[in-house]
Amino acid sequence: MRKLDVSDDGELEELEDKTEALTLHSKRTERARKRQAKKAKPNRDPRDPLALPYELILEIVSLLRPSDIFNLARVSKAYHGFITGEQHRISRNITGWRYACLSKCFRLPVLMENIEPSIRDLVQNPKRQDILTIHKKPYQHIQAPDPAEVCTCLTCLLRWSSLCLIVDFAHWQRNLDIGEPIPVIARGKNPEWNQVIIVSAAAIVRKALRNPLWHARLLEVHLDSTTRSIRRQSANRGNKRRRFRMSKEEMESGCDLFLERSGPPSFDFPFHRDNYYMLEAYLPNRGWNADRQCWMYVGAEQHDIDLQYIVRCAERRPTKCDY
């Protein structure tokens, strides 16, 4: 073989690197790849309900009571994230089969931020708010709504008062069960302990305005208060008034279907805590239709009707607010 001289280097072509990475394929590399994939993917116990299909999880959670759902949300971040992300669907499913009656009796007042700015100014008119004082300050056991936060049409004022009453009525259930008198407040007085109770009740209602699960929780609480009241009145042999019929199974079912049966009027507002002693079922916004033999409920559109009335009054009497 002829030796290459230095002078022959210029005649050589430029070398091109065509080496490629070798594809490693062996049992050892395959095991290493699987170990890396396991580390990247979080381990999930097959017994964990979150491992089930998404829609199936939603159906299972919708069978729980609202109080159980709040407890479930505290189990882990995964459960909390799931419940928070699906709170509207979960609450809608629960109220649809558990609280079909109560959800129509206790609707939510509308937030001011959800009202058109032009109408909002009319609702918050200072002269109109002065006229509404009689509707906002007559009760010792209910805090008036904030006009800057909650709509103050008559429908929303009644809705707010009814929701606050749920919390206050539930607070005194133990006293009513054991026969311990509810403390009496002198006229014109507002002791500190009462302020704590009504402020706490208003805070819970405000949560319900923005979180549908809290609204469902209020309905659960009121169903419990109602069943306990019916049971108390049934045990009162001196009470000969007409009452709602409720079996033990219906009381333990956690559903309000028995309240759809005919019964005594239930829309009178307990304007004082003394009314709690004989109160059996407070179910506002409905009345019994003798022709159809069923309860008729005030529709959700009543709020819009009230706003239309406010607008018409403002257009008719721009200088005088009597609405």
Side-chain angles (χ1 to χ4, degrees):
M1 182 175 179
R2 183 173 65 88
K3 292 184 179 180
L4 294 176
D5 297 333
V6 179
S7 59
D8 293 336
D9 290 346
E11 300 177 2
L12 295 178
E13 296 181 0
E14 185 177 353
L15 295 178
E16 182 180 355
D17 187 6
K18 294 186 177 181
T19 57
E20 297 180 359
L22 294 177
T23 303
L24 300 178
H25 184 72
S26 65
K27 291 183 178 179
R28 184 176 181 180
T29 56
E30 189 66 19
R31 288 195 298 268
R33 186 187 63 80
K34 288 182 178 180
R35 282 196 298 268
Q36 292 295 329
K38 269 190 173 182
K39 291 180 180 179
K41 184 179 180 180
N43 294 327
R44 176 164 288 177
D45 188 347
R47 295 171 296 179
D48 187 354
L50 290 180
L52 297 172
Y54 196 84
E55 292 298 328
L56 184 57
I57 301 172
L58 192 63
E59 289 294 329
I60 294 174
V61 173
S62 299
L63 296 177
L64 301 176
R65 300 173 191 263
S67 55
D68 295 330
I69 292 178
F70 279 105
N71 292 332
L72 182 63
R74 299 186 182 100
V75 171
S76 66
K77 290 183 178 180
Y79 281 103
H80 184 272
F82 171 77
I83 292 173
T84 302
E86 294 292 345
Q87 59 184 358
H88 289 86
R89 292 178 65 183
I90 294 173
S91 60
R92 185 168 60 248
N93 292 343
I94 291 175
T95 55
W97 76 276
R98 279 193 182 275
Y99 314 117
C101 169
L102 293 177
S103 60
K104 291 180 287 188
C105 293
F106 296 94
R107 302 184 188 274
L108 293 173
V110 179
L111 293 170
M112 289 302 300
E113 63 191 43
N114 297 329
I115 299 178
E116 295 182 11
S118 59
I119 301 179
R120 190 185 309 163
D121 294 337
L122 298 177
V123 175
Q124 295 178 326
N125 188 300
K127 294 182 179 179
R128 180 178 178 275
Q129 293 300 320
D130 292 340
I131 296 175
L132 290 175
T133 301
I134 190 174
H135 296 286
K136 295 188 295 184
K137 296 183 179 179
Y139 308 120
Q140 294 177 330
H141 56 318
I142 292 175
Q143 186 183 65
D146 182 3
E149 180 183 18
V150 180
C151 175
T152 53
C153 70
L154 291 181
T155 297
C156 288
L157 284 176
L158 293 176
R159 291 178 180 179
W160 170 270
S161 299
S162 297
L163 291 174
C164 289
L165 185 79
I166 288 179
V167 185
D168 191 74
F169 188 40
H171 177 82
W172 299 104
Q173 284 301 304
R174 181 180 178 277
N175 293 62
L176 297 172
D177 285 340
I178 65 178
E180 182 178 340
I182 298 175
V184 178
I185 302 175
R187 184 184 297 273
K189 302 295 183 180
N190 190 11
E192 184 177 354
W193 63 264
N194 186 61
Q195 296 179 34
V196 172
I197 292 175
I198 62 176
V199 169
S200 176
I204 294 174
V205 173
R206 288 191 181 95
K207 291 181 181 179
L209 297 181
R210 301 183 182 277
N211 188 331
L213 285 176
W214 272 102
H215 183 214
R217 177 72 176 117
L218 286 179
L219 301 182
E220 178 190 8
V221 168
H222 193 59
L223 179 60
D224 177 70
S225 299
T226 301
T227 54
R228 292 166 71 174
S229 296
I230 293 175
R231 184 178 57 188
R232 283 195 305 269
Q233 299 303 326
S234 299
N236 183 3
R237 296 183 179 180
N239 185 359
K240 302 299 182 180
R241 298 180 304 169
R242 185 185 178 194
R243 292 191 295 268
F244 281 98
R245 291 171 288 131
M246 180 186 68
S247 64
K248 182 179 178 181
E249 292 75 17
E250 290 170 333
M251 181 183 67
E252 297 174 348
S253 66
C255 301
D256 64 359
L257 293 179
F258 70 94
L259 295 174
E260 293 285 3
R261 291 198 291 260
S262 62
S266 55
F267 54 83
D268 289 337
F269 186 81
F271 58 89
H272 195 278
R273 289 190 178 119
D274 286 346
N275 299 112
Y276 291 169
Y277 294 107
M278 298 301 293
L279 179 62
E280 184 177 47
Y282 174 60
L283 304 170
N285 300 312
R286 75 172 190 170
W288 181 258
N289 189 313
D291 296 332
R292 299 185 181 181
Q293 289 295 301
C294 67
W295 293 98
M296 304 295 289
Y297 296 85
V298 176
E301 68 278 1
Q302 187 61 43
H303 162 75
D304 298 323
I305 296 175
D306 283 4
L307 290 187
Q308 293 173 9
Y309 175 75
I310 292 175
V311 173
R312 287 199 302 269
C313 288
E315 292 174 347
R316 187 170 62 249
R317 298 184 180 183
T319 59
K320 183 178 180 181
C321 179
D322 58 352
Y323 48 92

